[in-house]
Amino acid sequence: MQQLAATVQARAKPWIRDVVPALGGIALHYDPDHPDVHGDALEAAAILVQECMKEEAVAEEAPARTVEVPVCYEREFAPDIEEVARQVKLDLAEVARLHAAGEYRVLMIGFAPGHAYMSGLDAKLAVPRRATPRALVAPGAVAVANEQTVIYPYAISGGWSVIGRTPVAVFDAAREAPSLLAPGDRVRFRPISADEFMALKK
Amino acid sequence: MSVRVLRPGLLTTLQDHGRQGLQHVGLCPGGAMDPVALALANALVGNEAGEAALEITVIGPELSFEEDALVALCGAEFDGSFPHNRPVLAPAGSRFNVGHAARGARAYLAVAGGFAVAPVLGSRSTYLPGHFGGFQGRSLKHGDALELRDPGASGRFAKLKKTRNGTVKWSAPPFTLPDREPILVHVLEGQHFASFDSNAQRSFFDTVWKIAPESNRMGFRLTGPALVRSEQSEILSGPTALGSVQVPANGTPIALMADHQTTGGYPRIAEIVSADVARLAQLAPGGTVHFARCDLGMAAELRHDSKERLSAALRGIAWNYGQ
């Protein structure tokens, strides 16, 4: 999907505003009334995607970076850790240990700015999404669902179970690359104490 | 030259036509919830259609102008003395009290020349969750002073024929306001429509949905019967769009609005046609909506019609200015 998105993006059609790869599909957000659209925009978009699917990869895949992300798993930073522990029948420390021991890979960025979906969660920690999304999660909340883990960039509504929090900004509009993570990155979580969280947050 | 905030109102933010091209890093386009009203407000003061204006939500602000400024308020009707849908000259030292929304939920206050804030990632829109864009990345507060870019632009108002109360006889049409509720909103069947049982499919179209209080610029939660899926399997995170209607496991549909997520893992029962999103944005919590099924052809017609109506109104405004 990431490859396909890159190929579509490389064609740089002026009427296509956004190419968004996701695990369950790819979105082309386009302006159907753009002067460069001849005929039906949906048809043109479908043909473009089909052509790109046939094409070879446009660029060599860049070697994967490894990004270390500090995470505090203490209870005040992890509103759902007890519930997750109960669901998977492990104690709190073991939930934190298994989460931090994982080697993760960024599958896609989506949902919110810089919000990375990462594979590599220990199957023992796999819980379904929450039935009712939380109205607000803390910025930097580290959450799990379905053998994946995510980091919420801001205080937003979210449906995954929060088991920790990072003091690092995963999206910063003022940074040259606003998103900390990119698809393909390798990610490791480093457990930190509440004191270290506060020190890093400053 | 600045505009001073005497009272901020419930949620007053700077919004323009949004930031495009960043959905692949998870950033939604954002911008005005009702871009039609934004375009009209800007046209009334001679700004570009996508210039940033104040988006006023349900309870309006009270503002004072340091110097003469040409302003226009479009979108929701607010009580209070402010003339709607017309260019108004705010004389130096005047106070404007916008009041409470009487019809609709959101209005746009455009000022000739525009607000002097630096664009962030290509837009002056406030992105509240990320605390960036607009005025200091937040909604307005008491005491804020917003600088204006080109106060000289109010000179064009002198050309207009005015009535006694300092505005003009003509006005821009309120395209997006609800005439009566429930409003009718057209939708396409969503990618996961078939995974809902027939009761849920039927009640989605039969129900008069109510906008829940915990609705915001990100999404409108719709109160009504719980929509049950026949298969409860989890789905892979897929792309979402402005107007996607997703249904979490609790069965409460959420319509994705301007600050929507770019992808999501909840099944999407419907997609609101682009022509109708701005009208939905004019519902406040407690407002009601029902959905009518349509196909791509009809969605394109609706889009075409609303675009034509807006261009005709914009031409009318330009004609009044003698352009």
Side-chain angles (χ1 to χ4, degrees):
Chain A
M1 225 40 108
Q2 296 291 340
Q3 197 86 64
L4 178 60
T7 314
V8 175
Q9 198 74 268
R11 300 252 187 136
K13 299 284 185 200
W15 49 281
I16 296 181
R17 292 174 177 163
D18 273 301
V19 182
V20 188
L23 302 176
I26 184 168
L28 273 61
H29 297 269
Y30 57 80
D31 175 5
D33 303 317
H34 195 281
D36 283 14
V37 178
H38 305 292
D40 183 57
L42 179 63
E43 224 166 87
I47 291 169
L48 176 68
V49 171
Q50 275 157 19
E51 283 173 5
C52 290
M53 281 169 81
K54 284 182 214 143
E55 215 173 275
E56 292 287 305
V58 275
E60 290 283 303
E61 225 181 305
R65 300 184 301 163
T66 298
V67 183
E68 192 189 79
V69 179
V71 178
C72 181
Y73 295 97
E74 290 181 24
R75 226 177 290 188
E76 62 202 283
F77 295 86
D80 301 325
I81 198 166
E82 285 185 40
E83 200 181 309
V84 170
R86 224 183 357 258
Q87 274 178 286
V88 302
K89 300 186 175 66
L90 293 170
D91 62 33
L92 302 190
E94 188 61 5
V95 170
R97 196 193 64 77
L98 283 175
H99 187 264
E103 289 201 22
Y104 299 90
R105 192 84 193 248
V106 177
L107 299 171
M108 60 175 263
I109 306 285
F111 181 69
H115 181 270
Y117 290 80
M118 292 167 263
S119 65
L121 181 70
D122 195 308
K124 290 193 203 99
L125 295 183
V127 289
R129 287 187 187 85
R130 302 174 61 78
T132 306
R134 278 184 181 281
L136 279 183
V137 296
V142 175
V144 295
N146 302 329
E147 301 193 26
Q148 286 178 29
T149 193
V150 294
I151 308 170
Y152 288 104
Y154 312 127
I156 48 174
S157 159
W160 294 33
S161 297
V162 178
I163 62 161
R165 190 174 166 196
T166 178
V168 173
V170 293
F171 190 91
D172 180 352
R175 229 167 21 207
E176 198 183 73
S179 182
L180 175 73
L181 301 171
D185 283 352
R186 294 179 189 284
V187 177
R188 309 198 65 127
F189 294 113
R190 180 168 62 87
I192 57 170
S193 65
D195 288 345
E196 203 177 338
F197 179 96
M198 293 308 184
L200 286 169
K201 189 82 189 160
K202 274 174 197 160
Chain B
M1 168 63 188
S2 63
V3 181
R4 207 161 274 282
V5 179
L6 305 175
R7 207 166 29 83
L10 181 66
L11 180 73
T12 306
T13 58
L14 271 177
Q15 299 294 344
D16 63 8
H17 60 353
R19 13 182 101 74
Q20 306 292 339
L22 290 163
Q23 291 197 63
H24 66 285
V25 291
L27 181 58
C28 60
M33 290 278 278
D34 179 352
V36 176
L38 174 72
L40 289 170
N42 275 324
L44 287 171
V45 297
N47 291 344
E48 295 283 323
E51 184 59 58
L54 291 177
E55 182 176 273
I56 293 165
T57 319
V58 183
I59 302 170
E62 188 175 3
L63 306 169
S64 78
F65 292 87
E66 270 182 2
E67 276 173 51
D68 290 1
L70 180 60
V71 301
L73 184 71
C74 288
E77 281 168 15
F78 281 72
D79 52 27
S81 54
F82 207 106
H84 287 71
N85 303 315
R86 289 173 164 83
V88 180
L89 190 72
S94 63
R95 284 178 163 212
F96 268 105
N97 186 353
V98 180
H100 285 56
R103 187 158 74 107
R106 291 175 171 82
Y108 295 84
L109 184 84
V111 182
F115 292 90
V117 298
V120 176
L121 298 172
S123 161
R124 293 188 170 85
S125 287
T126 313
Y127 181 59
L128 291 170
H131 307 290
F132 65 79
F135 184 75
Q136 300 179 5
R138 59 169 171 81
S139 59
L140 298 189
K141 283 186 199 159
H142 168 83
D144 285 344
L146 283 75
E147 296 296 316
L148 297 176
R149 276 218 300 280
D150 180 14
S154 55
R156 65 206 309 281
F157 189 69
K159 285 194 262 174
L160 298 175
K161 215 167 117 189
K162 264 127 8 231
T163 59
R164 265 171 301 156
N165 58 2
T167 179
V168 295
K169 273 193 180 143
W170 48 275
S171 64
F175 285 135
T176 47
L177 288 195
D179 282 330
R180 71 184 84 81
E181 288 186 28
I183 64 163
L184 180 72
V185 161
H186 297 87
V187 299
L188 305 169
E189 283 182 9
Q191 191 184 343
H192 308 106
F193 183 79
S195 78
F196 289 86
D197 66 32
S198 54
N199 272 335
Q201 293 181 354
R202 217 179 9 252
S203 62
F204 180 72
F205 289 108
D206 288 349
T207 302
V208 171
W209 297 94
K210 200 171 193 171
I211 311 297
E214 60 272 32
S215 296
N216 53 29
R217 284 182 43 88
M218 195 171 166
F220 283 4
R221 291 181 189 221
L222 305 173
T223 309
L227 300 179
V228 178
R229 283 171 77 206
S230 26
E231 353 159 351
Q232 275 302 329
S233 58
E234 293 265 339
I235 59 168
L236 288 173
S237 282
T240 56
L242 178 65
S244 293
V245 182
Q246 58 175 29
V247 185
N250 67 4
T252 300
I254 303 172
L256 302 188
M257 303 303 282
D259 284 346
H260 65 87
Q261 52 268 48
T262 56
T263 64
Y266 295 121
R268 295 182 299 284
I269 193 169
E271 302 285 342
I272 297 169
V273 304
S274 59
D276 285 355
V277 175
R279 289 194 305 113
L280 181 62
Q282 284 297 353
L283 291 188
T288 52
V289 54
H290 70 101
F291 296 110
R293 197 190 307 251
C294 83
D295 59 16
L296 271 173
M298 189 177 171
E301 264 175 52
L302 291 166
R303 187 185 76 246
H304 181 78
D305 291 352
S306 63
K307 267 195 121 145
E308 279 303 305
R309 271 198 307 274
L310 177 60
S311 338
L314 295 177
R315 280 196 302 274
I317 293 167
W319 183 83
N320 277 301
Y321 271 109
Q323 285 167 343

